[in-house]
């Protein structure tokens, strides 16, 4: 397992939320979020905002986003 550290995770959080990272970077950030309460909390906030924005646009929230929110909550 590679842990990329808080700096990289926070720098790439926005792209992570929009699924714009490469597969490797995506995995790095995912691994870090699993192991860092601080970053996973920040990710959850970003995820919630993204979700709300999509709902505001009358788009249905993708199942994977709901699953990610649930996983973030239950992994504490
Ligand atoms: Zn972190």
């Amino acid at each position: 397992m590679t842990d990329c550290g808080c700096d990289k995770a926070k720098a790439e959080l926005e792209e992570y939320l929009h699924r714009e990272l490469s597969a490797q970077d995506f995995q790095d950030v995912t691994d870090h979020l699993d192991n860092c309460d601080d970053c996973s909390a920040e990710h959850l906030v970003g995820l919630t905002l993204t979700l709300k924005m999509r709902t505001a646009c009358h788009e249905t929230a993708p199942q994977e986003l709901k699953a990610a929110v649930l996983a973030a909550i239950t992994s504490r």
Side-chain angles (χ1 to χ4, degrees), residues 13-14 16-19 38-54 65 69:
L13 189 61
E14 191 73 18
Y16 180 85
L17 285 167
H18 296 287
R19 302 293 189 264
D38 189 34
C39 288
S40 81
E42 213 163 295
H43 171 242
L44 193 59
V45 171
L47 201 59
T48 306
L49 289 176
T50 306
L51 210 60
K52 279 192 175 172
M53 266 161 29
R54 292 189 187 206
L65 272 177
V69 171

Side-chain angles (χ1 to χ4, degrees), residues 5-6 32 36 39:
C6 291
H32 182 75
C36 180
C39 288

Side-chain angles (χ1 to χ4, degrees), residues 22-40:
S22 68
Q24 182 59 59
D25 283 339
F26 186 86
Q27 191 57 52
D28 285 349
V29 176
T30 303
D31 284 345
H32 182 75
L33 292 177
D34 280 347
N35 294 291
C36 180
D37 283 346
D38 189 34
C39 288
S40 81

